[in-house]
Amino acid sequence: MTIQGAIRANFCHRFWETSSAPGRGVPMQLTASTDDLHAHHAAEVAPGSFAARRHFYPRVLNAQIHPMMGFFLRMGNRRIVERYCHLNPRVPQEVLLEILETPTEHLRWAGADLFCTTTAAGNRRIVVVETNSCPSGNKSMPLVSEDDDLGGYRTVIEQTFLPQLSRRRAVVDGELAVIFDKNMVEASGYAATIAEITGERVYLAPFPDGRPERPCRFRGGVLEVRDHAGTWHPIRAAFRYVTQRPWNRIPVRSRTRILNPVVGCLAGGRNKLVASKAYDIYNGTLAEHGLAICTPETIPDVAKSEVPLWVGRFGGHAVIKVPYSNAGQGVFPILSSHDLDRFMAREYPYDRFVVQSLIGNYGWSSSERAGRFYHVGTVPDRSGHIYVADLRMMVCASPKGMKPVAVYARRAERPLPRELHASEDSWAILGTNLSQKTNGGSWAADTDRLLLMDRRDFNRIGVGLDDLVEAYIQSVLSVKAIDAMAANLLTTKGGLRTKLFRALDEDASLLAEVKEGQSEGSGATAATSAMEMGS
């Protein structure tokens, strides 16, 4: 059964019918809808079914990549190191080249969210906001080579996913799958790409949080998916686009090889609290080489009752984060006492929070130990408005090392004000994430705020080649830090070092979720670790 027949008949009809360009200001239904996630069976994706209109935003289909971005993606690690070390002469070239040419083991595909900031003296700095273990990006990236419709999907699958299947004999006899709980555009794009390259049928299976009749399950450490006839199929390898609390239904140790394994999420890819510690530890190893992951000043392990104290420490302007949320959920910019009161009045499912310094405009950014940083922002529009914007840099690990795959930017809804007013909507002027959760439980994207790396949008973002080089270095360093933490969290048999993880993150609610997820893999006492995919 082809993707045209199977997916339309099974659960993706809404996706195909809603992927046309909407009216201005209307979020696009380009992520998994409630109907998609409620499906009781997986769709079968056949070779030859990749169609660009299904796996890219409509704006991207006719976009031409900006020459500078194309040049950057073709530079290669050696030229990038030459340029970076020329501008940062205290960094040894051989050290940085080794970092870039050594592939990660556990977090082999990731994306970093970055801010371009500056100081009153005009010293620019790329700041890592967070790192994502299941990043979006390819649907927003113009083609580098116009004769290759698969674009970045091919890069990730050929360079990262497939090499791990050929490195050793398969542990499980079975089929291939993509499991997802969000971003139907890219999840289906990866499924179609795997089918195209391997010539095999690929199962595209929803694996949502909190749904009892999911078409995915683990038995004896093996992932199985259910087809439209109700038959369960063992999966030898799966590409994971599961973002919402993946640890509560995917075991750390799995005989099915999974990209990325869930330990990457626990180590910082979906855990901002542990990520901050991973960055600090890795920075300790980088310091002698003149390198560092640049992040906002971060206070982890903050109980709710302590939050006002730390917000006061940052001068009343801060960002509070629920450590395990994503897609812009659970992020609370605090610009006033009203924002703080509203945060404190709410109930949360977790016990611990992360408090960070706030990067805003020069007059109202947080005061950090390292000084005060503020947003460079977009190039002023015709009305003179400057908007907060972030960069998403997606990278992957190939056999030859790390490489950039996709880049895009997102701007805030409202301009960045020079002076704050009491009634200011903090999220509207600082929030850049495009994802929006509807009342029906589905996800939509506000693509009006998407800035592409094409000939039209690139000039509005206000970055140059050296900014892209710096963003890439920062992205790789942040991914390496989390990958190193993931290695520390694993036992020799591939299980989770529970005592160490509890010492790093004492959140009882999270620990209960992790325990629930490990029960999914019960009976897998002799299982080969999913994390061995990269070993």
Side-chain angles (χ1 to χ4, degrees):
M1 185 178 293
T2 65
I3 194 171
Q4 293 93 332
I7 296 187
R8 283 181 183 273
N10 294 344
F11 65 82
C12 296
H13 176 73
R14 284 172 57 88
F15 163 66
W16 306 125
E17 296 303 317
T18 58
S19 60
S20 58
R24 181 169 178 79
V26 180
M28 299 180 69
Q29 290 287 348
L30 283 165
T31 51
S33 70
T34 304
D35 290 347
D36 297 336
L37 297 177
H38 281 182
H40 296 291
H41 50 81
E44 298 175 18
V45 181
S49 59
F50 189 98
R53 71 182 184 279
R54 298 171 185 154
H55 311 305
F56 293 92
Y57 281 132
R59 286 176 53 198
V60 178
L61 294 175
N62 296 316
Q64 291 184 319
I65 192 166
H66 191 277
M68 185 178 293
M69 176 54 62
F71 178 82
F72 164 72
L73 293 174
R74 294 185 180 97
M75 282 182 72
N77 284 332
R78 289 187 177 273
R79 294 177 72 190
I80 287 174
V81 169
E82 285 281 355
R83 181 60 179 172
Y84 185 85
C85 292
H86 172 70
L87 298 177
N88 299 271
R90 288 182 293 181
V91 177
Q93 289 192 23
E94 63 278 9
V95 171
L96 183 56
L97 187 61
E98 182 180 2
I99 290 173
L100 298 187
E101 291 191 339
T102 304
T104 46
E105 294 290 326
H106 312 292
L107 193 63
R108 301 185 65 84
W109 162 64
D113 293 338
L114 310 151
F115 285 151
C116 186
T117 70
T118 188
T119 67
N123 298 319
R124 290 167 73 101
R125 184 178 76 168
I126 300 293
V127 174
V128 176
V129 181
E130 63 182 60
T131 309
N132 300 287
S133 54
C134 296
S136 68
N138 280 321
K139 67 176 181 287
S140 306
M141 186 66 184
L143 295 177
V144 180
S145 300
E146 293 184 356
D147 58 346
D148 183 7
D149 286 346
L150 299 181
Y153 292 105
R154 180 189 296 278
T155 302
V156 174
I157 297 306
E158 284 189 342
Q159 300 291 323
T160 304
F161 182 71
L162 296 183
Q164 304 312 306
L165 303 185
S166 60
R167 291 180 66 174
R168 60 172 65 186
R169 184 175 60 82
V171 176
V172 176
D173 290 329
E175 304 193 58
L176 300 173
V178 173
I179 56 178
F180 73 99
D181 66 353
K182 188 176 176 284
N183 199 346
M184 184 63 187
V185 173
E186 293 196 31
S188 61
Y190 286 116
T193 301
I194 295 172
E196 183 79 17
I197 295 173
T198 64
E200 296 185 40
R201 171 184 61 186
V202 176
Y203 285 99
L204 179 59
F207 203 179
D209 187 14
R211 306 296 185 200
E213 295 297 325
R214 297 185 290 240
C216 300
R217 69 183 185 187
F218 282 88
R219 291 292 182 269
V222 177
L223 173 65
E224 298 178 345
V225 300
R226 181 170 52 206
D227 66 17
H228 67 283
T231 302
W232 289 93
H233 298 266
I235 302 299
R236 73 179 188 273
F239 188 94
R240 176 176 69 87
Y241 209 108
V242 179
T243 64
Q244 310 296 311
R245 303 193 304 171
W247 46 75
N248 76 356
R249 54 202 185 278
I250 300 176
V252 168
R253 190 166 64 176
S254 165
R255 295 175 61 195
T256 296
R257 294 176 182 171
I258 300 175
L259 181 75
N260 282 312
V262 76
V263 71
C265 298
L266 295 172
R270 294 283 161 187
N271 187 333
K272 301 178 183 69
L273 193 155
V274 175
S276 68
K277 299 178 180 181
Y279 300 153
D280 283 345
I281 294 170
Y282 194 61
N283 274 346
T285 68
L286 296 174
E288 63 179 303
H289 306 300
L291 291 166
I293 304 167
C294 298
T295 65
E297 188 174 342
T298 303
I299 312 299
D301 297 309
V302 179
K304 185 180 177 183
S305 59
E306 298 176 279
V307 165
L309 300 178
W310 287 110
V311 172
R313 152 70 176 78
F314 286 121
H317 298 152
V319 179
I320 307 167
K321 295 181 178 180
V322 176
Y324 323 111
S325 298
N326 67 342
Q329 310 298 304
V331 178
F332 305 92
I334 305 299
L335 297 180
S336 65
S337 58
H338 175 71
D339 289 337
L340 181 59
D341 292 343
R342 187 165 51 184
F343 170 83
M344 296 298 294
R346 294 181 55 176
E347 296 296 328
Y348 303 92
Y350 297 105
D351 305 321
R352 298 288 171 173
F353 300 88
V354 169
V355 181
Q356 289 184 326
S357 61
L358 182 141
I359 299 173
N361 216 338
Y362 176 71
W364 47 270
S365 291
S366 296
S367 298
E368 295 191 27
R369 293 188 180 97
R372 177 173 293 188
F373 295 87
Y374 64 99
H375 282 283
V376 171
T378 60
V379 174
D381 61 18
R382 292 181 178 178
S383 300
H385 293 149
I386 295 175
Y387 293 82
V388 168
D390 69 353
L391 278 180
R392 161 65 59 82
M393 175 77 69
M394 179 195 288
V395 300
C396 71
S398 75
K400 296 182 179 180
M402 308 302 292
K403 66 183 305 175
V405 180
V407 186
Y408 66 89
R410 302 167 292 190
R411 71 161 178 83
E413 179 183 352
R414 297 181 187 175
L416 185 66
R418 293 184 179 182
E419 297 180 359
L420 286 178
H421 302 287
S423 60
E424 204 75 68
D425 185 336
S426 58
W427 183 256
I429 62 174
L430 295 173
T432 57
N433 198 285
L434 305 181
S435 297
Q436 298 178 350
K437 199 164 188 178
T438 66
N439 293 333
S442 62
W443 291 88
D446 182 5
T447 56
D448 280 347
R449 297 187 287 109
L450 173 66
L451 298 174
L452 305 179
M453 296 296 129
D454 65 356
R455 292 177 178 270
R456 178 177 179 271
D457 284 352
F458 184 85
N459 294 327
R460 299 165 57 193
I461 300 170
V463 298
L465 181 62
D466 291 328
D467 293 315
L468 294 174
V469 168
E470 175 72 21
Y472 174 57
I473 299 297
Q474 286 294 314
S475 298
V476 171
L477 293 180
S478 68
V479 172
K480 289 270 184 169
I482 293 172
D483 189 67
M485 179 63 78
N488 287 326
L489 286 175
L490 292 177
T491 66
T492 56
K493 293 184 178 180
L496 183 67
R497 294 176 63 186
T498 308
K499 290 183 179 180
L500 175 59
F501 183 71
R502 184 182 293 114
L504 291 167
D505 191 338
E506 296 180 323
D507 196 313
S509 299
L510 174 68
L511 293 171
E513 292 176 359
V514 174
K515 184 177 180 180
E516 176 186 355
Q518 304 326 295
S519 67
E520 291 278 1
S522 59
T525 55
T528 297
S529 167
M531 283 61 66
E532 289 179 1
M533 182 171 182
S535 61

